Amino acid sequence: MKIEIEIPEYTRERGLISGSIPGGTIQVRSYGPTFGIEGDRDGMITLAMSLLAIAHNWDAAPYNSHIHLDPPDLLEDESSSIVVQRLRES
């Protein structure tokens, strides 16, 4: 499978922007010290696009730049939220 995506450039005005596939869904569950991520195909691609947005804009975005994935947009209502953020020093 080949998927082509466009990853927007970081700007101070807009911050980080991640694309998404409408209708995709992800659920994050905590199992004690471990958490699990379950999702359909479109939800997993959207999660990957969020990770790629951070990686693609690594040098342009400040270390505290982040992307929120919250219910009910991508995550199911009973899911925990996800914050994707780069490491401070790397």
Side-chain angles (χ1 to χ4, degrees):
M1 168 177 32
K2 180 180 179 179
I3 298 174
E4 292 186 27
I5 61 170
E6 185 173 325
I7 302 171
E9 299 295 326
Y10 169 84
T11 66
R12 290 179 61 191
E13 297 76 33
R14 294 181 314 176
L16 285 169
I17 298 175
S18 173
S20 66
I21 298 177
T25 187
I26 292 279
Q27 183 162 9
V28 179
R29 295 184 183 163
S30 175
Y31 301 101
T34 304
F35 71 94
I37 299 174
E38 301 172 357
D40 61 17
R41 177 184 181 274
D42 291 344
M44 291 292 190
I45 291 170
T46 298
L47 177 59
M49 291 169 71
S50 297
L51 297 172
L52 287 169
I54 296 278
H56 174 71
N57 289 288
W58 197 265
D59 293 328
Y63 80 87
N64 60 347
S65 298
H66 58 279
I67 296 172
H68 283 264
L69 303 173
D70 299 306
D73 299 324
L74 172 65
L75 301 176
E76 294 184 2
D77 288 337
E78 60 275 4
S79 180
S80 299
S81 294
I82 300 174
V83 177
V84 179
Q85 182 173 338
R86 63 174 279 182
L87 290 173
R88 180 177 298 208
E89 300 293 330
S90 60

